[in-house]
Amino acid sequence: MAVERTFAMFKPGVLQRRIVGELISRMEKKGFNIVAIKLMRIPMEMAKIHYEEHREKSFFESLTNYIVSGPVIAMVLQRENAIATLRKICGATNPENAEMGTIRGDYAVSTERNIIHASDSPESAKREIGLFFKEEEIFPFEDGNEHWL
Ligand code: CMP
């Protein structure tokens, strides 16, 4: 299977709830390499671009207001089949439908504040990585774990 990169973002509230380490640990244990990471506050213009596909939806304004309301942690994660695998460990968008054992199933309550964003396709991953990171901010590494994972 091909090595892929995907974009992940811990939404506002994750830092305040002090669960950053637990969430990152789940990703590391599942074999993701963190090849870029940034703590930041998203400017409103960037939030609107990131959620462009939802511009016509009723929740667009409240979603963008929420995503700029506090610091987020943006990441580029790399492994084989990264995009589908990360979506799987995040669970369904609506936490009510997310299986226990997934990030949203275990930590989230509402759809809008579903604590993590994960790219849904190769096209989204490329677009979102490009929106949040410059190429020189991404650091792939050899971890030597191929034998064990
Ligand atoms: P995310 O994976 O960040 O991508 C789009 C976001 O829109 C989604 O997670 C939810 O946080 C939000 N969203 C999707 N559907 C709804 C909805 N019906 N009401 C409020 N927010 C929504």
Side-chain angles (χ1 to χ4, degrees), residues 48 51-52 54-55 57-65:
K48 288 180 177 167
Y51 283 128
E52 176 69 38
H54 300 295
R55 200 174 274 272
K57 307 261 175 65
S58 58
F59 56 82
F60 182 72
E61 193 177 345
S62 116
L63 177 63
T64 47
N65 282 334

Side-chain angles (χ1 to χ4, degrees), residues 12-70:
V14 169
L15 273 164
Q16 290 86 342
R17 290 173 64 191
R18 294 176 168 78
I19 55 174
V20 173
E22 289 171 37
L23 301 188
I24 285 184
S25 181
R26 288 179 178 225
M27 293 165 179
E28 288 186 317
K29 286 179 192 160
K30 195 63 189 167
F32 285 96
N33 287 2
I34 301 167
V35 296
I37 188 162
K38 192 184 280 187
L39 175 63
M40 62 182 290
R41 192 127 181 193
I42 304 181
M44 182 53 96
E45 270 319 298
M46 190 173 171
K48 288 180 177 167
I49 294 169
H50 176 65
Y51 283 128
E52 176 69 38
E53 68 183 281
H54 300 295
R55 200 174 274 272
E56 303 305 324
K57 307 261 175 65
S58 58
F59 56 82
F60 182 72
E61 193 177 345
S62 116
L63 177 63
T64 47
N65 282 334
Y66 159 59
I67 213 71
V68 303
S69 67

Side-chain angles (χ1 to χ4, degrees), residues 49-148:
I49 294 169
H50 176 65
Y51 283 128
E52 176 69 38
E53 68 183 281
H54 300 295
R55 200 174 274 272
E56 303 305 324
K57 307 261 175 65
S58 58
F59 56 82
F60 182 72
E61 193 177 345
S62 116
L63 177 63
T64 47
N65 282 334
Y66 159 59
I67 213 71
V68 303
S69 67
V72 302
I73 296 179
M75 284 159 281
V76 180
L77 303 176
Q78 182 172 304
R79 56 157 274 167
E80 285 185 356
N81 200 24
I83 297 165
T85 306
L86 185 63
R87 296 280 293 184
K88 205 167 184 178
I89 67 173
C90 286
T93 302
N94 179 347
E96 295 297 322
N97 301 329
E99 299 288 339
M100 301 307 287
T102 64
I103 290 174
R104 289 172 180 147
D106 291 351
Y107 294 95
V109 175
S110 76
T111 301
E112 189 173 279
R113 304 190 174 209
N114 61 2
I115 78 167
I116 185 164
H117 172 84
S119 305
D120 62 5
S121 65
E123 297 70 33
S124 302
K126 190 166 189 290
R127 187 180 79 83
E128 293 166 355
I129 290 169
L131 181 62
F132 282 80
F133 291 96
K134 300 188 189 101
E135 194 54 43
E136 61 267 27
E137 293 175 315
I138 301 174
F139 300 94
F141 57 91
E142 291 290 326
D143 63 15
N145 264 315
E146 290 76 15
H147 180 65
W148 305 109

